[in-house]
């Protein structure tokens, strides 16, 4: 792991919380990560997508285009191009990523990334260069 990747992992570990949500319209459930700090304090903006088929959360840093133009339609397409065949969906602006309606009920208490990965060991992190790694392993390496 290089220094840039270590910075991304540490930023995700320190600033992201993972929440579970369920759509009241279609009853699909999914997990998503959210930043917990003011934007001027964040050194690396990350987002997440979720695959209900694999029950897998993927976290990745945003590209400049995704950051400035919005994630919808960009971030999820980029992740799906890297991880083919898993149908990762982006939860954005309170709209269900499955039915497109706004009937989302989220858990009030989130989990820190380290705690979430302990219960979901298949959680991935994807770096800017497209390299996908198991986040739990990357967390352990970053804090050694």
């Amino acid at each position: 792991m290089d220094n840039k990747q270590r910075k991304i992992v540490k930023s995700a570990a320190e600033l992201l919380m993972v929440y579970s949500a369920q759509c009241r319209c279609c009853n699909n459930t999914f997990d998503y990560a959210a930043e917990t700090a003011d934007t001027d304090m964040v050194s690396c903006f990350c987002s997440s997508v979720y695959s209900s088929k694999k029950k897998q959360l993927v976290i990745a840093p945003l590209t400049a285009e995704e950051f400035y133009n919005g994630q919808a339609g960009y971030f999820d397409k980029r992740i799906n191009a890297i991880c083919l065949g898993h149908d990762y969906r982006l939860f954005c602006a309170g709209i269900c990523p499955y039915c497109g309606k706004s009937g989302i009920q989220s858990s009030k208490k989130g989990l820190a990334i380290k705690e979430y990965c302990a219960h979901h060991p298949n959680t991935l992190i994807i770096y800017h260069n497209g390299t996908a790694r198991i986040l739990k392993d990357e967390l352990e390496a970053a804090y050694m």
Side-chain angles (χ1 to χ4, degrees), residues 5 20 23 33 44-45 51-52 66 69 77 87 140:
Q5 291 171 333
S20 294
C23 179
C44 173
F45 289 92
S51 170
S52 62
E66 293 161 349
N69 296 325
K77 285 182 184 175
D87 192 30
E140 290 171 3

Side-chain angles (χ1 to χ4, degrees), residues 38 101 137 144:
D38 291 334
K101 297 181 180 170
D137 298 342
M144 289 182 107

